[in-house]
Amino acid sequence: MADEQDKWLDRGTAERLLRGEPLEAVDPSARDQAERLARALGALSAEAAPATGELPGEQAALAAFRKAREAAGAERTAAAHAPSAARAPASGADAGPIRGAARTRTGIRAT
């Protein structure tokens, strides 16, 4: 955590700054830097105002999610009730081993 520029900022001091504790333990020569860092951390940790109402596009996103979920459920149900011979492999299913022409040691295909 500490480097050549900020030797005062050890792990313990960093933890105290993150918890918002007083800076009495900081060396007076580094107190200005510590106070600036404490202010920056305080500004970054301020809570955002709670959202009022919906976010833009929230209803459309929820509707699209529900539609996709229902379609996937219907597809699974249909696949479960289909005869085993009629079942198509799921998308992304393993295609099995792929066989190619045998190559000789020279890298030229044998005919």
Side-chain angles (χ1 to χ4, degrees):
M1 174 144 285
D3 60 17
E4 288 81 31
Q5 296 174 349
D6 298 314
K7 290 185 185 270
W8 62 270
L9 187 57
D10 60 6
R11 186 176 186 90
T13 304
E15 290 296 329
R16 284 192 297 280
L17 285 170
L18 289 170
R19 287 192 299 263
E21 293 179 4
L23 302 171
E24 290 112 16
V26 177
D27 186 311
S29 63
R31 189 162 309 231
D32 183 49
Q33 287 179 315
E35 288 173 354
R36 283 187 293 163
L37 180 56
R39 283 193 302 272
L41 291 171
L44 292 171
S45 65
E47 288 188 33
T52 56
E54 294 178 359
L55 297 173
E58 184 175 358
Q59 282 298 321
L62 286 171
F65 171 78
R66 289 179 182 129
K67 183 178 178 182
R69 188 170 142 192
E70 288 172 10
E75 188 177 301
R76 281 192 302 274
T77 302
H81 295 304
S84 61
R87 290 185 190 163
S91 63
D94 185 13
I98 298 173
R99 296 189 177 118
R103 295 185 184 269
T104 64
R105 287 185 168 206
T106 61
I108 300 172
R109 290 185 183 183
T111 54

